Amino acid sequence: MPLTDSLRDDILAAVPSLRAFAISLSGNSDRADDLVQETLLRALANIDSFQPGSNLPAWLFTILRNLFRSDYRKRRREVEDAEGNYAKTLKTHPSQGAHLEFEEFRAALEKLPQDQREALILVGASGFSYEDAAAICGCAVGTIKSRVNRARSKLAALLYVEGAEDFGPDETVRAVIGGSGG
Amino acid sequence: MKLQGLNSRGNVEKVMKDVKSQASKNAAPRKPGGLNAEIQSRIGHQLRAMYDDVVRQGVPDRFTDLIRKLDVPAAQSHVENGGGSTDQNDGRE
């Protein structure tokens, strides 16, 4: 369909979510914005192939994911740089206690295999149905469900079982209250 | 006052104790096949909090400008061939 004003608005409305998805894929906010820009250019160049009435965000997410995938092998190293760059994306800094928990969660998420992480984010954060997520990832609905389940299990194991000794109340409280004597 | 300090510190400790006791309570009966609903909801909450943190930043200017400029088919191929992302900002008035 032609690029109408309303379609342009709809594409722009999807940008915040595309950025969030791109950051979670690449772990790097600069790289994520380049990825979003490439996605928009690709989408606009191929706007004729977009079916009116179909799911625009899902279409855009598919383009972004494919771009990331085709590029990922070349840029694998950048993912290792994720930690420092992710913090830069945060406009508001959570309180320290929340920040610790947040970092812990983000680190656990990074440990998931790529397939599981993207499935979990599409379904659990972007709010896509299993069917849409399957279309975006080009796989069966059952595959998405199993990836999401495995991702949740692994996160639970990392955060609430394995990590229990590392992030126990003593250490965490000490960090939160800054070791004030008493 | 001292009382205030004690209170706020007590709260922190209490919260962290709650977190820990919930975590260990929930982790213990976890079955290989299924996840405790409480843990699932915590994971879901943190996932959305992380994601929404970026979503709340809205649409950066570079993307608004990009979409506005690229509504002419000729411009699309021109910019795509150019490929440079820094060129996009030069046209801003």
Side-chain angles (χ1 to χ4, degrees), chain A residues 158-173:
Chain A
L158 287 168
L159 290 167
Y160 305 121
V161 182
E162 271 180 26
E165 303 96 48
D166 296 331
F167 295 93
D170 295 342
E171 273 188 38
T172 313
V173 168

Side-chain angles (χ1 to χ4, degrees), chain A residues 99-137:
Chain A
H99 188 69
L100 286 176
E101 197 179 347
F102 178 86
E103 282 302 318
E104 186 189 346
F105 182 79
R106 198 202 53 74
L109 198 62
E110 286 284 322
K111 288 182 188 161
L112 298 181
Q114 175 69 37
D115 285 348
Q116 293 177 24
R117 185 166 62 237
E118 70 183 8
L120 180 67
I121 288 162
L122 288 171
V123 172
S126 308
F128 284 109
S129 64
Y130 285 114
E131 288 74 16
D132 285 339
I136 289 168
C137 297

Side-chain angles (χ1 to χ4, degrees), chain B residues 47-58:
Chain B
L47 197 61
R48 282 189 297 276
M50 189 189 76
Y51 194 88
D52 290 345
D53 215 59
V54 181
V55 170
R56 271 196 301 272
Q57 293 173 16

